[in-house]
Amino acid sequence: MTDVVLDGVDKVYPGGVAAVRNIRLKINDGELFVLLGPSGCGKSTILRMIAGLEEITNGAIWLNGAIANDLPPRERNVAMVFQEGALYPHRTVKGNMLFPLQVSGDDRVEANAKVQELARALGIDSMIDRLPRTLSGGQRQRAAIGRALVREPSLFLLDEPLSSLDAGLRTELRVEISALVRATGTTTVYVTHDQVEAMTMADRMAVLRDGVLEDVGTPEQIYQDPATVFVAAFLSSPPINLLQGTLWTVEDEGLLIDFGAQRLTIPWDDPRTSALISHQGRPVTVAIRPDNLTPIAPGSPAAPGTVLSGQVRALEFHGHEWLAYAEAGITTVDPTTVGRPAPATPPQPERPTLRDRLRTLLGPSQPPEQEQAVEEHVGGHHRRPDLMFRIAPGDRPNRGDRVALAVDLDRILFFGADGRRVTPVHRHQSAPPRAHRPEHAGQEAPHAHDGHGGHGGR
């Protein structure tokens, strides 16, 4: 078992590509920790640096209280499973799982018993004598996971292990993986771009964008109390409503949220007003989840300043519910452009490594994640001025109907022009990490963030 601390870690590739910037993070012993973000955000690079497959540019990585910067991968007691579980094609499932134990010289009888027990837990005991080419994608991934876990590593790293599987199999395997790693108690770092995987599997999770840590916390904390507008949008299905408004104070009413054509009012006794009043006269992004908009029956009373209205433009049937889009004449916000980290001058390595010198001699290259990166839109770049809300199957309006929507004011979120939360973000945090890079392996590991990330709202 082990814990992991990343203390101010940077990764800069030749040519100035800053893949990871100043990551300060603590992963606790026995924790299933998920790194989440769009393609090209640096999550796989972080995983490879922890494994020792990529050398860090600046900072320090600590494993179980000891600095591991210069430890080769074989000395880190780390097991890793990639997107495509690379099995030895000439070995059976049993042969693949036995191989690490044979290399380490384990007793043959005990090794066989361990493989049988793990294969049974993974649901592949009936195919243990088959070759990889005769297995389905899900079965091959189970075998790859078994080969990684059978030698009882201190740290288990999974890099998008389910992304090439179909939706039904992904659901089945994520349940099995979660149960298995929790049963073994192995500290696990899991990389994914899938929000559902992250939310359902993680004890805690970190959200990254452009190599910067946006937020860290439990799935519930990050969903209910996101630190940035990007996090709020990324962890939202159906998409969260992001509306552009301006805050004004009205002496006898409260804090007015002016959307131009429509308005909401936050009463003075709301505890958020003390933080919001500092943004008086300034634009803010107001985030309202579709769950927090409730259609009001025609003629029903509603408190002033708690209702938005619009004309239904589109309807989508999702079986258990309808999603409706109402044109409300309110300007919407694109979360991919708000609070984006500036392309700052990348930090320089403290000393050139042999690998960096070879890369320089062989010519410029792109990091693996950059090569495969595809732009992912969080909520779309061309949002219409719509309000999205949920309705039960029997209550749906018709296209073209006018609707009034009661807003749950207690659940709406406010973000400034920099994309950070205007109101406080609540996380349990340890002491801040040290700013300097430790020089000796014998030093005590620094504390690093186990609350929200450095880019998130404070």
Side-chain angles (χ1 to χ4, degrees), residues 12 38 40 150 264 267 299 336 370 385 396 437:
V12 182
V150 73
L264 294 172
T336 64
Q370 294 289 334
R396 76 173 182 89
R437 180 180 184 275

Side-chain angles (χ1 to χ4, degrees), residues 55-58 69-70 348-354 356-357 437:
E55 295 176 2
I56 68 174
T57 303
N58 287 311
N69 286 23
D70 299 320
Q348 296 302 308
E350 294 180 354
R351 65 182 189 274
T353 64
L354 176 59
D356 289 334
R357 289 197 294 270
R437 180 180 184 275

Side-chain angles (χ1 to χ4, degrees), residues 35 42-53 80-81 156-160 189-191:
L35 297 174
K43 53 191 185 295
S44 291
T45 301
I46 292 173
L47 203 72
R48 291 172 64 83
M49 289 191 292
I50 293 172
L53 301 177
M80 193 165 181
V81 174
F156 190 30
L157 308 177
L158 297 101
D159 190 1
E160 306 254 21
V189 185
Y190 187 103
V191 161

Side-chain angles (χ1 to χ4, degrees), residues 356-413:
D356 289 334
R357 289 197 294 270
L358 286 172
R359 282 200 182 105
T360 302
L361 290 171
L362 293 172
S365 63
Q366 293 294 321
E369 231 178 348
Q370 294 289 334
E371 291 174 353
Q372 301 170 6
V374 292
E375 186 175 11
E376 293 193 6
H377 303 324
V378 184
H381 280 287
H382 305 287
R383 289 190 164 203
R384 292 179 61 112
D386 289 340
L387 291 173
M388 181 188 288
F389 59 99
R390 288 174 142 148
I391 42 180
D395 300 329
R396 76 173 182 89
N398 297 311
R399 291 176 179 84
D401 287 356
R402 294 289 302 180
V403 290
L405 303 168
V407 181
D408 185 348
L409 297 178
D410 293 335
R411 302 286 296 279
I412 63 178
L413 305 167

Side-chain angles (χ1 to χ4, degrees), residues 80-91:
M80 193 165 181
V81 174
F82 299 92
Q83 181 174 336
E84 299 291 342
L87 300 172
Y88 300 114
H90 62 287
R91 290 177 174 267

Side-chain angles (χ1 to χ4, degrees), residues 208-229:
L208 293 111
R209 176 169 65 154
D210 296 337
V212 174
L213 201 58
E214 290 265 331
D215 204 353
V216 182
T218 66
E220 185 177 10
Q221 286 173 335
I222 292 181
Y223 182 85
Q224 300 287 359
D225 201 22
T228 70
V229 68

